[in-house]
Amino acid sequence: MNDASNSGRPEGEPRSLWVATAGATDYPVLRGDLEVDVAVIGAGVAGLTAALALKRTGRTVAVIETARVGTGVTGHTTGKVTSLHRLAYTELARRHGNDTARIYGEANQAAVEHVAQLVAAEAIDCDFRRVANYTYAESDDALSLVRAEANLAARLGLPAAFTTDVPLPFPVRGAVRFDGQAQIHAVKYLRGLARAVNGEGSFVYEQTRAQQVHDGSPAVVDTEHGTVRARGIIVATNVPWGGQGLFYLRSHPHRSYLVAGRVDTPPLDATFISADEPMRSILTTSVNGTSYVLTGGEGHRVSEPGDTAARYRRLAAFAHDRLGVDKVAYRWSTQDGMPLDGLPYAGLMSPTAKHVFVITGLRKWGLSNGTAAALILADTLNGRENPWASVFNSNRITPAASARRFMKENVKTVAAVLGGKLRGRPGHTELSPGEGKVMTVNGESTAVYKDADGQAHAVSATCTHLGCTVGFNTADATWDCPCHGSRFTTEGTVIQGPAAKNLPPAQMP
């Protein structure tokens, strides 16, 4: 991912289709002090779903968003709302047993129906469609896997069946099919949720960065220009910033990519993901009268090297060769927390926390897992038991399911740290427009980028989370941390945590 070579930008506007076609929001910046029942940090699917669920039970809420509603991780998703998560049930049953796999499935299937109910109840215009979702197989080995997944999922009570009738424009051997699933325009959906949250004593604030959280009675969120006092706080920022709960050790950041191309054919009533490697995710949609095919994949742990532009080109080639896409219109990437034991986290931020809660580790299926997690916390803050809470418990201990992976993933992080310390070139290295490199300037590791106009920008190359050295993402023009996934603009502004502070300006070489 953090490849400094510039092999040329891939085709397509470097922007999420959902963000590009949703229009703008204009919620105010929080200025001054505010008191509500619950403060929610993060205006993605988890934060806004929790906020609306709490408001519907009579609670007042304030949602605090660093950027704009829907421009974070949820705005860069596939748009699939489904309880079929590739081959998740086989994995979860093996690691945790059938009961845990069943509860995970119940939670996600309920999330699909909750999204459908909200779309109807709040009249959210988000291109909601009911579709079937398929995990398909092209090889003999993958065929046996999807057969096993279909049989297990059906026994767990999910809408699963094995089929050889798969409506793809290329031949496959078979698939597990879940009926009654859905797809949405992710950003339009979030903006509908935000509209429903805002008002009647509840608030949505944009361009308001939460800087610190204080657990207590009341609990307090400090922002740049004010504070929010509340009985409870939900941190729903994909990866919680700061070190509380140690979620940066209990999950690892995983990056994946999407391209969207215009086509002349109407959308299929189906979405797809491959059981074979390399994984490919497929969705068709119509946005503002134009049909698109979305192709996703090329996922990797953020510490793994690779050419980002080449990843986009491989997806574009698949879309062209297999799906009839002539030219890519949009391309984007996203980053998710992968929990070490395979289960999302929803609950108290740490074993000692009393009023601060967290949602994280949504394992790349945030539209359903984030919705389920939000409903768990809404019940928790209202003093109600939730049947899924034990499986999503943020402070669970599962050594049998996660100990080996904990060692493996964190050894990779240590390797990334050591590799970063060795990175860096002497100052005065020439840069081409659009290129970025980490250089050593007066003994300091410095991230230097030259924009399209030839103007150079220099910031510290030391991630403000735990001090790893960032690397330049050529295709997305960002500084990315290979250790725990923090991302920054070329001017050093935080795009994604766990880092909470920007990269400070540095001396120009």
Side-chain angles (χ1 to χ4, degrees):
M1 178 183 65
N2 296 325
D3 191 306
S5 65
N6 191 347
S7 55
R9 293 289 177 88
E11 65 176 318
E13 181 182 347
R15 197 178 181 197
S16 158
L17 168 67
W18 314 126
V19 174
T21 58
T25 54
D26 190 25
Y27 291 102
V29 176
L30 173 63
R31 300 188 186 278
D33 298 331
L34 177 69
E35 187 166 339
V36 291
D37 292 325
V38 181
V40 178
I41 304 174
V45 67
L48 285 170
T49 303
L52 183 54
L54 288 161
K55 180 181 177 180
R56 284 176 150 197
T57 60
R59 305 280 182 156
T60 57
V61 296
V63 178
I64 303 164
E65 169 56 42
T66 298
R68 295 288 184 188
V69 169
T71 57
V73 173
T74 307
H76 293 78
T77 185
T78 61
K80 296 179 183 178
V81 189
T82 178
S83 59
L84 175 56
H85 299 168
R86 205 182 186 195
L87 300 171
Y89 296 101
T90 301
E91 172 207 345
L92 293 175
R94 175 178 57 80
R95 297 173 74 176
H96 300 279
N98 282 6
D99 284 346
T100 293
R102 176 183 54 77
I103 293 170
Y104 177 90
E106 287 177 357
N108 278 274
Q109 188 58 35
V112 175
E113 298 309 319
H114 187 77
V115 170
Q117 291 163 9
L118 287 183
V119 168
E122 302 296 341
I124 301 175
D125 181 10
C126 63
D127 304 325
F128 177 92
R129 293 198 304 133
R130 288 287 191 176
V131 295
N133 189 24
Y134 296 80
T135 299
Y136 68 90
E138 295 186 76
S139 68
D140 288 340
D141 288 344
L143 184 64
S144 64
L145 295 177
V146 298
R147 282 185 185 277
E149 183 78 354
N151 291 334
L152 173 60
R155 292 200 305 272
L156 297 177
L158 292 160
F162 174 78
T163 181
T164 56
D165 183 13
V166 183
L168 279 167
F170 54 88
V172 302
R173 302 292 305 281
V176 51
R177 168 179 171 147
F178 275 33
D179 287 321
Q181 308 301 288
Q183 66 181 63
I184 57 174
H185 187 301
V187 178
K188 288 182 180 179
Y189 176 66
L190 292 190
R191 292 180 178 178
L193 294 185
R195 184 181 66 248
V197 168
N198 195 55
E200 301 172 320
S202 293
F203 307 90
V204 175
Y205 293 103
E206 294 182 317
Q207 297 186 312
T208 301
R209 183 181 297 279
Q211 297 180 317
Q212 197 168 0
V213 170
H214 307 275
D215 199 344
S217 298
V220 180
V221 181
D222 292 332
T223 75
E224 296 162 297
H225 305 292
T227 63
V228 181
R229 295 174 177 270
R231 298 178 188 177
I233 297 170
I234 296 175
V235 179
T237 56
N238 186 42
V239 178
W241 35 260
Q244 195 174 8
L246 299 178
F247 291 102
Y248 63 90
L249 296 177
R250 297 166 59 200
S251 61
H252 71 271
H254 190 273
R255 194 152 195 80
S256 53
Y257 304 82
L258 282 155
V259 297
R262 298 182 182 94
V263 292
D264 295 329
T265 53
L268 296 170
D269 292 327
T271 59
F272 311 87
I273 193 168
S274 69
D276 294 277
E277 296 291 347
M279 186 276 286
R280 293 292 182 257
S281 173
I282 302 167
L283 175 142
T284 59
T285 188
S286 178
V287 180
N288 302 332
T290 301
S291 293
Y292 294 89
V293 172
L294 276 64
T295 306
E298 293 295 315
H300 61 96
R301 197 188 190 282
V302 298
S303 62
E304 295 173 356
D307 184 340
T308 305
R311 298 185 192 278
Y312 284 120
R313 283 194 287 269
R314 285 193 289 270
L315 289 177
F318 180 91
H320 172 76
D321 296 342
R322 295 285 196 95
L323 303 170
V325 171
D326 180 48
K327 187 176 180 181
V328 170
Y330 298 96
R331 59 175 171 85
W332 67 99
S333 60
T334 190
Q335 196 162 288
D336 300 271
M338 300 295 289
L340 296 182
D341 66 357
L343 294 167
Y345 299 111
L348 286 166
M349 178 69 83
S350 72
T352 60
K354 297 184 182 301
H355 307 285
V356 180
F357 300 82
V358 67
I359 295 173
T360 188
L362 300 180
R363 52 172 297 156
K364 300 200 294 181
W365 297 97
L367 288 175
S368 58
N369 268 324
T371 298
L375 298 178
I376 290 170
L377 291 194
D379 280 346
T380 300
L381 271 73
N382 279 316
R384 298 193 298 247
E385 289 190 11
N386 182 287
W388 321 318
S390 61
V391 166
F392 283 62
N393 178 11
S394 53
N395 292 298
R396 63 183 178 266
I397 299 174
T398 54
S402 59
R404 180 178 297 180
R405 194 164 181 181
F406 178 89
M407 294 297 296
K408 178 181 177 182
E409 296 299 339
N410 286 289
V411 163
K412 291 180 181 179
T413 297
V414 171
V417 173
L418 296 176
K421 297 304 180 186
L422 299 175
R423 190 188 301 129
R425 308 181 183 196
H428 308 292
T429 299
E430 287 297 325
L431 293 176
S432 302
E435 188 177 10
K437 291 179 181 176
V438 174
M439 306 179 185
T440 301
V441 181
N442 293 334
E444 298 294 329
S445 188
T446 304
V448 184
Y449 168 73
K450 182 179 283 188
D451 63 27
D453 297 325
Q455 179 68 39
H457 307 264
V459 295
S460 171
T462 302
C463 179
T464 55
H465 176 226
L466 288 179
C468 297
T469 303
V470 299
F472 189 62
N473 181 327
T474 304
D476 294 340
T478 57
W479 294 109
D480 297 353
C481 177
C483 297
H484 303 114
S486 297
R487 304 186 71 216
F488 306 85
T489 68
T490 52
E491 295 183 348
T493 303
V494 174
I495 299 172
Q496 187 165 5
K501 296 180 180 179
N502 298 336
L503 299 175
Q507 183 176 340
M508 194 71 68

